[in-house]
Amino acid sequence: FSLNNLTYKFHCCFSSGYNLLLHGLGSKQSVISKFVDQHISSYTHIVVNGYLPNLTIKTVRLFKQSKRKLKN
């Protein structure tokens, strides 16, 4: 896949109300970073590095809630 092809697919997912989950072997961090920087940096977004051993769903939810409180 080319980066342009992926960014088009990412845009289609987001504009349809879906989230994006990338998994599997190999690092996708550079692809995600480029997409965020070029296309969604002005939107509210969270990038979760799931390879962190102490990461839980609760941690992500608490982070999201704390960011909401800062906005209000």
Side-chain angles (χ1 to χ4, degrees):
F1 289 97
S2 71
L3 184 58
N4 289 336
N5 190 15
L6 286 175
T7 49
Y8 174 76
K9 289 181 180 197
F10 292 171
H11 271 291
C12 288
C13 289
F14 288 130
S15 64
S16 299
Y18 292 98
N19 296 314
L20 189 61
L21 172 65
L22 302 177
H23 62 89
L25 297 175
S27 177
K28 286 91 166 146
Q29 191 167 4
S30 63
V31 173
I32 294 170
S33 294
K34 286 179 186 176
F35 179 73
V36 168
D37 292 343
Q38 294 174 2
H39 299 284
I40 64 169
S41 60
S42 62
Y43 297 95
T44 302
H45 61 278
I46 299 174
V47 177
V48 177
N49 293 318
Y51 59 84
L52 300 172
N54 59 346
L55 181 72
T56 65
I57 296 295
K58 183 178 180 180
T59 307
V60 175
R61 278 199 329 246
L62 290 173
F63 177 79
K64 186 177 172 183
Q65 289 171 353
S66 69
K67 291 295 182 184
R68 262 196 209 141
K69 289 178 185 175
L70 292 175
K71 285 185 177 182
N72 295 333

